[in-house]
Amino acid sequence: MNTNASNFVEQVDLAFYVIIGISLILLIGVTAVMIYFVVRYNKKKNPTATQIEGNNKLELIWTIIPTILVLIMFYYGWVGYEPMRNVPDDAIEVKAIGRMWSWTFEYDNGLKSDKLIVPLNKAVKLNLVSMDVNHALYIPAFRIKEDVVPGRNNFMWFEAQKLGSYDIFCAEYCGQRHAYMITKCDVIPVEEYNSWYAEGAQALANPSDDPVEAGYNTIKANGCIACHSTDGTKLVGPSFKGIFGTQRVVVTGDEERTVTVDEAYIINSIKHPNDDVVKDYMKGLMPGYDGQISDEDMDKIVFYIKSLGE
Amino acid sequence: MESEKMATEITPKGYVNFFEESHGLKSWIFTHDHKRIALLYFYGVVGFFLMGVVLGLLMKFEMITPGETIMKPQTYNSLFTLHGVIMVFLFIIPAVPAIFGNFFLPILIGADDVAFPKLNLLSWYLYVIGGIMALSTLILGDGPPDTGWTFYAPYSVKTGTNVIMAVMAAFVLGFSSILTGLNFIVTMHRMRAPGMDWMKMPLFPWALYATSWVQVLATPIIGITLLMVVAERVLGVGFFDPSIGGDPVLYQHLFWIYSHPAVYIMILPAMGLISEMIPVFVKKSIFGYKAIVYSSLAIAFVGYFVWGHHMFTSGMSGQARVVFSILTFLVAIPSGVKVFNWVATMFKGSIDLQTPLLYCMAFIFLFMIGGFTGLVVGALSADVHVHDTYFVVAHFHYVMFGGTGFAFIGALHYWYPKMFGRMYNKKVANIGFGVLFTGFNILYFPMFILGIQGMPRRYYDYLPEYSTWHKVSTMGSWVVAIGLIIIIANLVKAYRKGEPATGNVWGGITLEWETKSPPPLLNFDKPPTVTHGPYDYSILNK
């Protein structure tokens, strides 16, 4: 299992080997002794039991030796863990935003990505932000995990040591599509990373000329498509396809009413999703984006939804 | 000794046992007899257990292939929530204390009932009401809860499903547990037979004594925590949801301050059962009686201070994580002491390998695997990797099902003839055991591998690389089901057609074997006097 994909793998795996190794010896030893006793002292072979009340020396031995063994185990667990909490000063900082049910990674220059792109052999610190409920960012290949808790500034860091594309999972149960809150961490060479970072910055300065593409990029970066499809498939939220300009029945408070899906409705539903929930969909699942998405981006989203037809 | 000889003979004609004492529904649902209350619990607990099993089988079937197999994600999420709620609150917490504790604690200490028989009946009613409340979420409100049995905030505050009813169910069940614990503590302090010093009390009562204190002292915390969730949902009081000023990690602290000690409510009585059974089939004094007593008390005490190990990745301070990790390793030691003492008891015994002893051996083996993997998740760096993965799922199923579950079924085979006055087919019982043990390992061992490979728990769907072990695990669940069917069918058949059991089927020397099978209403024909230690098998040689 040791891939050395991150700087932590070696020490973490060592803790596994030490603990599982000691445990296996004890497990096999105790089980073998137990089976031996049952066979050797079967009532046919040994019709009369020898009464032994106990033995204080033995009690001491099997208290002290396990104590030493578990302290050794603790030590290896701690040694592997300690560096996880000490972030190098020169680490690249990335904001990792979790929401039901997608990830967004925001870089220093404002670049947003639904994949985590990191350079090889550079320390990367992830500042973990949740927009709604608890999540946990888990990269099995790197042996790291930390909860993404709303209202708290949790963090984690790592140094990727091997090029490749690694799974990122949400490990803290977060609702209906928890199992789909997955993405990738792409580890790329430093030069490639630098140019990706610079290109991204440029793209932000000069957004795509194609407004449909720009709109799609915006909803992707903000995690909308985790719950709203663009092809008519019903996910947790209504699909964006073909809704613009139509009449929909929504629940406002406890009352049902019919609204037209227009610009005002879309923008308000993004900012305050629980005001008017489309009938047959669940209230309370979507976080409000008031203050999270700029007016400019709102326009792009509205344009994109319009482009998906009426 | 004379009473012992009497009891080994087939019960005389004209003898009225507690079943025959009175008849009709009323004589059961208004009974104050601890044995009848134990049986009321028995039918309830087994019923809920089977429901939990069916939910588990459905979950495992969904997992046999990636993507949708038989259900949608929302259904799956509700299934694992209800499976957890039922198995934790309705099966494993009450199973051993409420059934075997109620039935045998008074008999083992030579009493005619528990200290507060009416309170005992009330506990059962609370249990039934809590159970019905939990199940009502299936048909009432906006769908069964989908939060996991841990009800983690703020998701449990936000989700639209029927969380309130489920947490109120857990709240009511908590009171049932508290009252049972209180009843047992007083019973042991006040009602031991003449001659039974504390250090002559059998080990199952001792285990219940340690457990009862945990039930009484820890359960109120979960009660208030769950009420806080309700207050937050209904009144919008910001305890846990940061968007209204709360702290999600506070919820986790409060939840685990109860729920970790609750783990010991689940396992300690099971350990007591093992200590009770092994000497009988080894015909030998238990090795290190006092060490086992003190280790039970130590586990119950240190168990209060390790809750933080459920939260190593929650964002708790680094120092707190280190302290909780050390304490977690220390709580493993008394469990280890017990295992060594059980195995040492077999040394130079005269061993009769009957079904209950097979379960004891399986318990020791499976509990060791559960315990050792508990050390893996107690170690900081290893836990960071496998926390919230299938590794943890496998770990606690080895402890809870492999440990408490096997001890429960083993004790059922041990005391069945005493409780129902009939003997089951021993050969079929052994086959059932073999199938269950095999199926158990096929079902849960692959989960360790999945967890180390990084498969998160509570996932409705998974990536293709995890398919193989998920498939193996699902097939194991079918073997477990077959094992359970064999075991239950065998016991049901024995109830109707089994050979009448003698008073002392296994040649035990604790007090339950001095009375008839099934016992009379007041347990003993005349109140017993205790003259020897609970496992002093040297009296057989005299």
Side-chain angles (χ1 to χ4, degrees):
Chain A
M1 66 191 260
N2 191 333
T3 55
N4 254 336
S6 85
N7 57 321
F8 299 124
V9 174
E10 205 180 321
Q11 286 296 319
V12 173
D13 288 4
L14 180 64
F16 275 100
Y17 292 136
V18 169
I19 299 171
I20 294 177
I22 295 174
S23 300
L24 266 182
I25 295 169
L26 287 168
L27 174 71
I28 294 170
V30 172
T31 308
V33 168
M34 178 170 72
I35 291 171
Y36 171 76
F37 284 171
V38 169
V39 175
R40 170 67 186 79
Y41 300 111
N42 192 281
K43 68 172 179 180
K44 281 179 202 142
K45 288 186 192 163
N46 199 34
T48 315
T50 311
Q51 298 304 323
I52 307 164
E53 295 283 327
N55 183 317
N56 287 339
K57 230 186 236 167
L58 273 176
E59 299 289 348
L60 265 183
I61 291 172
W62 61 48
T63 305
I64 292 169
I65 293 180
T67 307
I68 296 168
L69 291 178
V70 295
L71 287 177
I72 292 172
M73 294 178 184
F74 163 76
Y75 172 78
Y76 280 97
W78 178 69
V79 164
Y81 167 77
E82 233 275 310
M84 292 183 188
R85 295 286 93 196
N86 294 313
V87 190
D89 294 335
D90 61 346
I92 298 170
E93 297 210 17
V94 179
K95 194 164 142 188
I97 303 161
R99 71 175 77 72
M100 296 150 126
W101 292 276
S102 64
W103 298 100
T104 301
F105 300 95
E106 202 177 318
Y107 291 76
D108 269 351
N109 60 0
L111 185 59
K112 283 182 182 178
S113 163
D114 56 349
K115 270 197 211 174
L116 176 59
I117 313 279
V118 297
L120 185 68
N121 293 328
K122 283 260 182 181
V124 176
K125 181 187 181 194
L126 300 179
N127 294 309
L128 306 171
V129 178
S130 167
M131 289 182 60
D132 37 49
V133 298
N134 297 347
H135 304 281
L137 198 150
Y138 178 29
I139 310 177
F142 295 172
R143 309 286 187 267
I144 51 168
K145 177 187 295 122
E146 185 79 8
D147 290 4
V148 182
V149 180
R152 287 181 84 95
N153 304 312
N154 287 355
F155 66 90
M156 64 206 292
W157 80 280
F158 61 90
E159 200 175 304
Q161 296 181 335
K162 261 196 182 160
L163 298 176
S165 185
Y166 302 96
D167 291 321
I168 296 179
F169 295 130
C170 174
E172 184 65 64
Y173 176 71
C174 60
Q176 197 185 108
R177 292 179 63 77
H178 170 53
Y180 297 100
M181 194 169 159
I182 61 182
T183 183
K184 291 274 182 186
C185 172
D186 287 350
V187 181
I188 56 178
V190 180
E191 309 78 50
E192 217 177 293
Y193 173 81
N194 288 339
S195 57
W196 171 81
Y197 186 81
E199 268 172 35
Q202 232 175 5
L204 280 172
N206 310 300
S208 172
D209 293 338
D210 179 358
V212 174
E213 195 188 324
Y216 180 73
N217 289 341
T218 313
I219 64 163
K220 203 172 143 205
N222 283 297
C224 310
I225 50 178
C227 306
H228 303 278
S229 78
T230 56
D231 60 1
T233 315
K234 184 181 168 182
L235 295 176
V236 180
S239 174
F240 290 149
K241 191 177 169 72
I243 56 165
F244 196 84
T246 58
Q247 305 266 312
R248 295 279 150 140
V249 180
V250 298
V251 179
T252 307
D254 288 330
E255 280 174 31
E256 284 184 15
R257 62 188 187 107
T258 305
V259 296
T260 307
V261 182
D262 54 13
E263 194 169 330
Y265 173 77
I266 290 174
I267 291 177
N268 189 61
S269 288
I270 294 172
K271 289 182 172 171
H272 308 288
N274 295 316
D275 285 2
D276 312 288
V277 182
V278 180
K279 202 182 163 209
D280 296 332
Y281 288 88
M282 211 186 260
K283 199 176 170 176
L285 288 180
M286 179 174 158
Y289 280 76
D290 198 12
Q292 306 271 351
I293 296 179
S294 66
D295 289 350
E296 208 179 313
D297 280 356
M298 283 289 188
D299 292 341
K300 286 182 197 163
I301 294 172
V302 172
F303 185 89
Y304 178 74
I305 293 176
K306 259 188 204 168
S307 79
L308 288 174
E310 296 180 5
Chain B
M1 287 308 291
E2 243 172 77
S3 63
E4 206 174 284
K5 257 184 213 152
M6 291 260 297
T8 42
E9 287 157 17
I10 299 286
T11 35
K13 280 212 171 94
Y15 162 68
V16 179
N17 65 41
F18 77 96
F19 284 101
E20 299 155 346
E21 190 72 39
S22 51
H23 294 277
L25 185 65
K26 269 192 190 163
S27 76
W28 281 85
I29 61 172
F30 297 122
T31 184
H32 295 165
D33 177 23
H34 65 102
K35 298 181 289 301
R36 286 195 168 196
I37 292 172
L39 290 180
L40 289 175
Y41 269 114
F42 177 69
Y43 300 123
V45 167
V46 169
F48 283 118
F49 171 71
L50 293 177
M51 267 178 240
V53 169
V54 169
L55 296 178
L57 288 171
L58 289 172
M59 281 161 65
K60 286 317 299 178
F61 196 77
E62 172 55 42
M63 286 285 108
I64 195 167
T65 55
E68 183 178 333
T69 310
I70 48 168
M71 64 184 79
K72 301 277 183 208
Q74 186 66 28
T75 312
Y76 182 78
N77 295 344
S78 298
L79 278 193
F80 71 64
T81 303
L82 281 175
H83 172 79
V85 168
I86 289 176
M87 287 305 204
V88 170
F89 295 110
L90 290 163
F91 171 62
I92 208 143
I93 289 180
V96 178
I99 298 171
F100 297 124
N102 261 324
F103 200 109
F104 287 103
L105 170 67
I107 304 182
L108 280 166
I109 62 171
D112 57 4
D113 207 323
V114 292
F116 307 115
K118 286 179 188 165
L119 206 58
N120 204 13
L121 185 64
L122 176 63
S123 308
W124 181 73
Y125 275 101
L126 290 174
Y127 172 77
V128 172
I129 292 167
I132 291 170
M133 285 168 76
L135 290 185
S136 73
T137 60
L138 285 168
I139 41 171
L140 300 179
D142 301 318
D146 62 339
T147 57
W149 78 277
T150 47
F151 301 113
Y152 265 21
Y155 185 74
S156 58
V157 176
K158 287 181 191 260
T159 177
T161 55
N162 199 351
V163 169
I164 293 183
M165 185 59 102
V167 300
M168 287 312 292
F171 179 80
V172 171
L173 290 167
F175 275 95
S176 170
S177 183
I178 294 170
L179 294 181
T180 300
L182 183 72
N183 217 337
F184 285 0
I185 292 172
V186 179
T187 304
M188 277 178 269
H189 272 276
R190 308 293 297 176
M191 299 180 71
R192 279 170 291 129
M196 183 173 281
D197 313 331
W198 282 102
M199 284 299 152
K200 276 193 183 141
M201 192 163 76
L203 288 164
F204 178 54
W206 261 117
L208 287 175
Y209 185 74
T211 308
S212 297
W213 278 110
V214 183
Q215 284 175 283
V216 169
L217 294 178
T219 315
I221 299 164
I222 191 77
I224 197 71
T225 309
L226 294 174
L227 283 187
M228 286 163 85
V229 171
V230 173
E232 183 146 352
R233 281 186 71 101
V234 177
L235 308 171
V237 184
F239 293 119
F240 308 125
D241 183 354
S243 63
I244 45 176
D247 178 3
V249 176
L250 174 66
Y251 175 84
Q252 296 179 25
H253 277 292
L254 289 170
F255 180 82
W256 289 113
I257 284 174
Y258 163 72
S259 295
H260 195 78
V263 170
Y264 299 108
I265 297 178
M266 305 177 207
I267 194 72
L268 272 172
M271 290 170 156
L273 293 174
I274 301 300
S275 304
E276 208 59 51
M277 287 187 273
I278 288 180
V280 179
F281 297 96
V282 176
K283 289 290 168 291
K284 185 169 164 277
S285 175
I286 190 120
F287 194 94
Y289 170 89
K290 281 190 179 170
I292 294 178
V293 169
Y294 293 136
S295 65
S296 289
L297 298 174
I299 290 172
F301 181 72
V302 185
Y304 276 104
F305 306 103
V306 300
W307 77 86
H309 68 216
H310 295 272
M311 304 164 57
F312 281 160
T313 67
S314 68
M316 214 171 27
S317 78
Q319 295 93 311
R321 300 185 205 200
V322 172
V323 172
F324 280 123
S325 177
I326 291 196
L327 288 169
T328 300
F329 278 108
L330 293 181
V331 82
I333 294 164
S335 300
V337 168
K338 280 182 193 282
V339 168
F340 291 127
N341 279 302
W342 290 326
V343 174
T345 303
M346 296 179 181
F347 177 64
K348 291 196 174 174
S350 178
I351 299 175
D352 187 8
L353 193 57
Q354 299 280 1
T355 317
L357 189 62
L358 284 173
Y359 278 98
C360 291
M361 292 171 69
F363 172 96
I364 293 175
F365 178 74
L366 300 173
F367 176 72
M368 276 199 290
I369 295 179
F372 286 133
T373 52
L375 297 175
V376 173
V377 286
L380 289 167
S381 67
D383 180 68
V384 167
H385 178 47
V386 292
H387 181 80
D388 270 326
T389 67
Y390 267 66
F391 191 92
V392 175
V393 178
H395 155 68
F396 69 73
H397 279 93
Y398 265 84
V399 177
M400 292 302 139
F401 186 179
T404 309
F406 272 70
F408 177 82
I409 303 173
L412 190 56
H413 284 88
Y414 175 55
W415 277 324
Y416 188 92
K418 176 58 62 184
M419 295 165 79
F420 298 102
R422 287 181 188 271
M423 195 52 169
Y424 47 84
N425 182 326
K426 291 180 180 176
K427 209 169 156 191
V428 178
N430 287 348
I431 293 169
F433 163 79
V435 175
L436 181 68
F437 180 78
T438 310
F440 176 88
N441 285 292
I442 303 173
L443 166 56
Y444 294 111
F445 200 83
M447 293 188 185
F448 285 124
I449 301 167
L450 284 169
I452 287 185
Q453 288 173 342
M455 171 76 211
R457 66 191 285 205
R458 294 173 172 174
Y459 261 34
Y460 161 76
D461 199 354
Y462 51 85
L463 298 176
E465 60 252 42
Y466 299 110
S467 311
T468 314
W469 291 114
H470 271 301
K471 255 194 194 79
V472 174
S473 172
T474 301
M475 290 170 184
S477 73
W478 303 335
V479 183
V480 165
I482 294 169
L484 288 173
I485 290 169
I486 296 173
I487 292 163
I488 293 168
N490 189 38
L491 294 178
V492 170
K493 197 179 160 207
Y495 182 74
R496 304 165 73 200
K497 295 182 184 160
E499 290 284 308
T502 57
N504 191 355
V505 277
W506 310 117
I509 58 170
T510 35
L511 289 174
E512 80 272 37
W513 304 115
E514 290 190 16
T515 185
K516 301 184 184 76
S517 303
L521 181 63
L522 295 177
N523 298 338
F524 301 94
D525 292 336
K526 56 174 191 215
T529 308
V530 177
T531 51
H532 57 78
Y535 313 110
D536 187 6
Y537 278 88
S538 63
I539 58 166
L540 293 184
N541 307 337
K542 276 174 199 160

